[in-house]
Amino acid sequence: MTSRKVRYGLIGAGNNAVKKHLSNYSRLSNIELVAVCDVNIENGRKAAETYNIPNVYKNYQDMIIKEDLDIVSVCTPNSLHTDITIYALQNGVNVHCEKPLAINGKEAQRIVEAKNRSGKNVMVGLNNRFTNEAVYLKKCIDEGYLGDIYKAKAGWIRRSGIPGRGTWFTNKEVAGGGVMIDLGVHYLDLALYLMGMPEPTYVTGATYQNFAHTDKRNRNGYKGNPNGIFNVEDSANGFIGLQDGATVNFEFSWASNIDEDQTFIEILGTKGGASIINGELKIHSEILDSCVDISPILNPNIKLKNEFEHFTNSILSSEELLAPAEHGVYMMNIIDHFYLSAEKQEPVFFEKNNNCYKRLSSIC
Ligand SMILES: NC(=O)c1ccc[n+]([C@@H]2O[C@H](COP(=O)([O-])OP(=O)(O)OC[C@H]3O[C@@H](n4cnc5c(N)ncnc54)[C@H](O)[C@@H]3O)[C@@H](O)[C@H]2O)c1
C-alpha cells in the first residue's frame, strides 16, 4: 500500500456501527472515512452527517466497486455477514465483521476459505478480547501465572435486556439464534480464548423461551415490533468438555427473574484463579499459608490493544490478528453443537481426533 490513508467504508449504519465502529475509526489519524452504506438510506445519511462522510450508498456492492476501499466494517444483521464479507474479500477489501462471524459454522468456514483465496484479512468484532483486563489476564495465563487451566465459567445475564422483541434479533432466520448467538458469542468466546481455545469434545446445552409474550423485558431504549417474529431462546445454559480435560460452564439470558444484570468470567488454574465480574479483574491465589486476592492496578503507561487501531495496523504491517476469522469458525462450530444438543436434549460430541474446524456431518 502507498502512503495514502486507509480508505474505510461502513456497511450497516445501525446502533452498533455508529456507537462502536464509526466513533472509533474516526479517531484514527491513518483512516479516511470514505463511504457508508445502509439499505435504510436515512440511517446511512444520519451516520454520514455525524461523521462527515462524503459518500452514502444503499447497496454495498456499488460502494465496494466504486470506492476502492481498504477496509469495510460489516455491521448488518447476522445472516448477511457471510455474503457481504465474501463479496468484499472477492473485491480486494479487508473486513472487520461484527460478531457472530456468521450464523453457523459452515458459513463461517466459507468466509475463511474466501479470505484465504483473497489474500485479504477478516477480523471478528470480539471487543471483549480487547479490554485492558482481558489483555492483561490473557498475558498472565499465557505466561503461566495461573498454572494449568482446568475449569472456567462464563456468563452474561440480564433481567430485562431483549434487544427489541420482534426485531431481527429475535428472528432465527436473520439472527441465527437468540441470546446464545448474541451475548454468548462474546463471553463464551472470552472464556475459551483466555483458556487458549482448546479443542472441544462435547457440548451439552439447554435453551428456554419465557419472555416472548411481553414487551416489558425489552432492553432499555430498544423498541419491540408487536408484529415481529420471536422464535429464538431468551435464556441459555450449557457445559463444554474440552480435549485437554478442562470444562466450561456457561449461562446467558436476555431476560430472567434475577436480582441484577451481570457479566462474568472465571478461570481456574492449578496455581491461581481469576475473575472478571462486571469488568472488574481479580486474581486469587495463595502466599505462604494463606489465600490472597489481588486487584491488579493496570499500568497506565502500557499501551494496550485498541480493536480498530489493531485491525488497521494489521493491514499496514501484517500484525497478527487477535480475533481472526478462524476463531469465528471455532466459536460457531461450538454454537452449532450447542443448539443441536438443546434440540436433542442430550450431549453432542465432536468427531474424535478431529479439530473443531470440522463439524459433525449431522450439522452440515
Ligand atoms: N460487538 C458488539 O458489542 C455488538 C453490539 C451490538 C451489535 N453487534 C452486532 O452488530 C451487528 C448489527 O447490530 P446492530 O445492533 O447495530 O443492529 P441494527 O439493527 O441497529 O443495525 C443494522 C443496520 O444494518 C442495516 N442493513 C440491513 N440490511 C442491510 C444491507 N443489506 N446492506 C446494508 N445495510 C443493511 C439496517 O438498515 C440497520 O441500519 C449484528 O451482527 C450484531 O450482532 C455487536
Side-chain angles (χ1 to χ4, degrees):
M1 193 180 295
T2 63
S3 60
R4 70 168 194 177
K5 286 191 176 188
V6 173
R7 290 172 64 79
Y8 172 86
L10 169 69
I11 304 173
N15 280 323
N16 171 56
V18 176
K19 266 192 241 153
K20 192 179 138 184
H21 290 251
L22 286 183
S23 67
N24 281 287
Y25 276 117
S26 64
R27 290 196 186 109
L28 301 181
S29 57
N30 54 355
I31 283 278
E32 180 184 355
L33 300 181
V34 173
V36 52
C37 160
D38 198 302
V39 281
N40 177 339
I41 198 77
E42 274 319 305
N43 283 0
R45 285 202 186 115
K46 229 162 94 187
E49 216 170 275
T50 311
Y51 286 94
N52 208 10
I53 305 172
N55 305 292
V56 182
Y57 289 84
K58 219 176 158 176
N59 175 302
Y60 69 87
Q61 287 104 330
D62 289 348
M63 180 179 90
I64 286 171
I65 294 298
K66 287 192 187 144
E67 296 294 353
D68 188 22
L69 301 168
D70 301 304
I71 295 180
V72 289
S73 290
V74 175
C75 300
T76 60
N78 304 341
S79 61
L80 301 170
H81 290 185
T82 303
D83 284 353
I84 297 177
T85 299
I86 292 176
Y87 187 84
L89 290 167
Q90 285 170 341
N91 287 282
V93 185
N94 300 283
V95 180
H96 188 174
C97 180
E98 258 314 325
K99 49 57 61 175
L101 177 61
I103 56 170
N104 56 45
K106 198 174 175 184
E107 290 208 358
Q109 181 61 33
R110 280 180 51 216
I111 290 178
V112 166
E113 284 158 15
K115 185 228 5 152
N116 291 342
R117 279 194 302 272
S118 72
K120 296 293 162 185
N121 230 339
V122 177
M123 187 171 85
V124 193
L126 293 165
N127 48 298
N128 291 287
R129 291 186 179 195
F130 290 83
T131 66
N132 291 352
E133 290 74 16
V135 171
Y136 179 77
L137 178 55
K138 176 76 176 142
K139 217 166 171 209
C140 291
I141 293 170
D142 289 351
E143 293 191 11
Y145 286 97
L146 302 192
D148 295 330
I149 307 301
Y150 59 91
K151 197 162 125 178
K153 203 163 86 176
W156 186 338
I157 48 173
R158 288 180 181 164
R159 188 167 185 165
S160 299
I162 299 170
R165 168 178 168 252
T167 65
W168 70 262
F169 277 100
T170 62
N171 180 338
K172 190 168 173 53
E173 206 182 316
V174 188
V179 68
M180 187 67 206
I181 210 165
D182 182 35
L183 305 185
V185 154
H186 275 302
Y187 268 71
L188 183 57
D189 171 78
L190 184 55
L192 288 161
Y193 168 70
L194 290 168
M195 297 170 90
M197 298 177 58
E199 297 299 335
T201 52
Y202 66 96
V203 178
T204 302
T207 56
Y208 312 86
Q209 193 208 69
N210 289 310
F211 296 91
H213 61 288
T214 168
D215 257 341
K216 287 185 209 157
R217 297 308 188 93
N218 278 341
R219 196 174 171 199
N220 199 7
Y222 283 67
K223 278 201 195 119
N225 169 7
N227 304 316
I229 294 170
F230 198 137
N231 59 357
V232 297
E233 79 284 356
D234 51 40
S235 200
N237 275 11
F239 187 83
I240 303 177
L242 300 159
Q243 234 168 47
D244 61 1
T247 56
V248 185
N249 287 25
F250 57 90
E251 182 187 355
F252 300 102
S253 69
W254 274 339
S256 47
N257 290 319
I258 51 170
D259 185 19
E260 53 185 22
D261 294 5
Q262 197 179 50
T263 57
F264 57 89
I265 291 286
E266 188 176 79
I267 307 283
L268 298 184
T270 50
K271 287 198 217 159
S275 56
I276 306 178
I277 300 178
N278 292 337
E280 189 184 350
L281 171 63
K282 285 196 176 150
I283 295 176
H284 315 284
S285 188
E286 51 185 44
I287 295 179
L288 297 177
D289 58 1
S290 297
C291 292
V292 294
D293 295 328
I294 301 165
S295 295
I297 301 161
L298 301 181
N299 186 341
N301 298 318
I302 295 179
K303 194 168 172 286
L304 297 172
K305 289 233 180 278
N306 171 287
E307 179 181 348
F308 307 87
E309 195 177 2
H310 169 62
F311 190 50
T312 308
N313 289 346
S314 77
I315 283 153
L316 298 171
S317 67
S318 309
E319 181 178 325
E320 194 184 334
L321 283 182
L322 206 111
E326 285 80 358
H327 293 190
V329 178
Y330 171 92
M331 179 49 55
M332 290 320 301
N333 280 334
I334 290 175
I335 288 185
D336 287 350
H337 284 68
F338 165 83
Y339 280 126
L340 189 62
S341 166
E343 188 191 318
K344 293 171 100 164
Q345 298 192 321
E346 62 187 36
V348 175
F349 287 79
F350 284 78
E351 283 176 356
K352 272 202 177 127
N353 304 321
N354 248 336
N355 71 39
C356 70
Y357 301 132
K358 302 200 177 143
R359 64 198 75 77
L360 285 175
S361 50
S362 60
I363 288 175
C364 300

